[in-house]
Amino acid sequence: MPTLFRTITMPRDLSEKDIAILKKLAPECGDLTCSGSGHSFHSILPPVSNHFSEDSNDFIGRISRLSNEELTYITDMILKGEESMGCLPVEDVEALVHLLHDRLSPEHAKKVIDAYESGSSCEH
Protein backbone atom coordinates (compact mmCIF):
# COMPACT_ATOMS: atom_id res chain seq x y z
CA MET A 1 0.00 0.00 0.00
CA PRO A 2 1.46 3.42 -0.93
CA THR A 3 2.51 5.81 1.79
CA LEU A 4 0.34 8.90 2.04
CA PHE A 5 2.05 12.26 2.32
CA ARG A 6 0.60 15.52 3.52
CA THR A 7 0.66 17.49 0.30
CA ILE A 8 -0.99 20.73 1.32
CA THR A 9 1.80 23.16 2.04
CA MET A 10 1.29 25.03 5.26
CA PRO A 11 2.87 28.45 5.79
CA ARG A 12 5.82 28.18 8.09
CA ASP A 13 8.45 30.39 9.57
CA LEU A 14 11.81 29.55 8.06
CA SER A 15 14.21 27.94 10.51
CA GLU A 16 17.89 28.86 10.76
CA LYS A 17 18.66 25.81 8.62
CA ASP A 18 16.10 26.93 6.00
CA ILE A 19 17.60 30.42 5.92
CA ALA A 20 21.14 29.03 5.56
CA ILE A 21 20.03 26.90 2.60
CA LEU A 22 18.15 29.84 1.03
CA LYS A 23 21.25 32.05 1.39
CA LYS A 24 23.41 29.28 -0.14
CA LEU A 25 21.09 29.09 -3.14
CA ALA A 26 20.56 32.85 -3.42
CA PRO A 27 23.44 34.72 -1.76
CA GLU A 28 21.99 37.94 -3.16
CA CYS A 29 18.88 37.50 -0.99
CA GLY A 30 19.00 40.58 1.19
CA ASP A 31 15.93 39.96 3.29
CA LEU A 32 13.34 37.24 3.53
CA THR A 33 10.44 39.19 2.04
CA CYS A 34 8.78 38.65 -1.31
CA SER A 35 9.07 41.88 -3.28
CA GLY A 36 5.79 41.17 -5.08
CA SER A 37 3.55 40.46 -2.09
CA GLY A 38 5.48 42.02 0.77
CA HIS A 39 5.05 38.78 2.76
CA SER A 40 7.85 36.77 4.31
CA PHE A 41 9.08 33.73 2.43
CA HIS A 42 7.57 30.49 3.79
CA SER A 43 9.56 28.07 1.63
CA ILE A 44 13.02 27.76 0.12
CA LEU A 45 12.46 26.66 -3.48
CA PRO A 46 9.81 29.15 -4.72
CA PRO A 47 11.83 32.29 -3.98
CA VAL A 48 14.95 30.76 -5.52
CA SER A 49 13.01 29.79 -8.64
CA ASN A 50 10.77 32.84 -8.99
CA HIS A 51 12.78 35.72 -7.53
CA PHE A 52 16.48 34.94 -7.85
CA SER A 53 17.02 32.50 -10.74
CA GLU A 54 17.26 34.08 -14.16
CA ASP A 55 15.94 30.95 -15.89
CA SER A 56 15.73 27.19 -15.40
CA ASN A 57 19.44 26.73 -16.18
CA ASP A 58 20.26 29.17 -13.40
CA PHE A 59 17.88 27.32 -11.07
CA ILE A 60 19.60 24.01 -11.89
CA GLY A 61 22.98 25.57 -11.15
CA ARG A 62 21.74 26.89 -7.83
CA ILE A 63 20.14 23.67 -6.57
CA SER A 64 23.21 21.71 -7.70
CA ARG A 65 25.14 23.57 -4.96
CA LEU A 66 23.21 21.66 -2.30
CA SER A 67 24.82 18.79 -0.45
CA ASN A 68 23.08 15.43 -0.40
CA GLU A 69 22.14 16.13 3.22
CA GLU A 70 20.49 19.41 2.20
CA LEU A 71 18.70 17.71 -0.70
CA THR A 72 17.41 15.06 1.69
CA TYR A 73 16.23 17.77 4.09
CA ILE A 74 14.33 19.60 1.32
CA THR A 75 12.85 16.31 0.10
CA ASP A 76 11.67 15.50 3.62
CA MET A 77 10.10 18.95 3.94
CA ILE A 78 8.31 18.48 0.59
CA LEU A 79 6.96 15.10 1.69
CA LYS A 80 5.74 16.55 5.01
CA GLY A 81 3.95 19.32 3.10
CA GLU A 82 6.16 22.01 4.60
CA GLU A 83 8.06 22.98 1.43
CA SER A 84 6.05 24.34 -1.48
CA MET A 85 6.48 23.28 -5.10
CA GLY A 86 3.13 24.61 -6.34
CA CYS A 87 4.63 27.93 -7.43
CA LEU A 88 7.54 26.38 -9.31
CA PRO A 89 7.57 26.29 -13.09
CA VAL A 90 7.34 22.70 -14.39
CA GLU A 91 10.89 22.86 -15.78
CA ASP A 92 12.24 23.70 -12.32
CA VAL A 93 10.33 20.80 -10.75
CA GLU A 94 11.74 18.53 -13.44
CA ALA A 95 15.27 19.79 -12.74
CA LEU A 96 14.83 19.12 -9.02
CA VAL A 97 13.49 15.63 -9.70
CA HIS A 98 16.41 14.81 -12.02
CA LEU A 99 18.88 16.03 -9.40
CA LEU A 100 17.22 13.95 -6.69
CA HIS A 101 17.22 10.91 -8.99
CA ASP A 102 20.91 11.28 -9.79
CA ARG A 103 22.22 12.29 -6.39
CA LEU A 104 19.89 10.59 -3.89
CA SER A 105 17.83 7.82 -5.46
CA PRO A 106 15.07 7.08 -7.97
CA GLU A 107 12.78 6.48 -4.96
CA HIS A 108 13.34 10.02 -3.64
CA ALA A 109 12.59 11.40 -7.10
CA LYS A 110 9.40 9.32 -7.40
CA LYS A 111 8.12 10.44 -4.00
CA VAL A 112 8.66 14.10 -4.91
CA ILE A 113 6.87 13.63 -8.25
CA ASP A 114 3.95 12.01 -6.42
CA ALA A 115 3.84 14.85 -3.89
CA TYR A 116 3.97 17.45 -6.67
CA GLU A 117 1.22 15.78 -8.69
CA SER A 118 -1.09 15.49 -5.69
CA GLY A 119 -0.23 18.88 -4.21
CA SER A 120 -1.92 22.23 -4.34
CA SER A 121 -1.33 25.07 -6.74
CA CYS A 122 0.53 28.24 -5.93
CA GLU A 123 -1.08 29.96 -2.99
CA HIS A 124 1.74 31.94 -1.36
Side-chain angles (χ1 to χ4, degrees):
M1 173 175 259
T3 304
L4 297 176
F5 300 102
R6 192 176 105 206
T7 58
I8 298 172
T9 305
M10 303 302 292
R12 66 182 168 110
D13 292 327
L14 297 180
S15 69
E16 288 184 29
K17 184 173 188 168
D18 297 328
I19 293 168
I21 292 172
L22 179 58
K23 295 283 186 172
K24 182 176 186 176
L25 296 176
E28 68 273 32
C29 177
D31 64 25
L32 302 175
T33 305
C34 173
S35 59
S37 69
H39 296 278
S40 297
F41 294 134
H42 296 288
S43 289
I44 298 167
L45 297 175
V48 173
S49 175
N50 297 314
H51 295 282
F52 300 108
S53 296
E54 294 178 19
D55 54 30
S56 62
N57 288 330
D58 187 26
F59 181 75
I60 292 166
R62 289 172 186 267
I63 62 172
S64 295
R65 297 177 196 162
L66 296 174
S67 69
N68 287 355
E69 178 186 324
E70 292 164 330
L71 285 170
T72 299
Y73 173 76
I74 287 177
T75 299
D76 291 345
M77 296 300 283
I78 290 168
L79 299 179
K80 289 184 213 174
E82 296 178 14
E83 178 64 29
S84 175
M85 291 192 309
C87 295
L88 298 180
V90 172
E91 58 271 12
D92 289 354
V93 174
E94 290 173 350
L96 175 64
V97 167
H98 285 291
L99 185 66
L100 295 174
H101 181 278
D102 293 346
R103 297 250 312 265
L104 298 182
S105 73
E107 293 78 24
H108 279 85
K110 173 84 169 87
K111 288 177 182 178
V112 168
I113 290 169
D114 291 345
Y116 175 72
E117 289 177 345
S118 65
S120 58
S121 62
C122 185
E123 297 174 10
H124 314 289

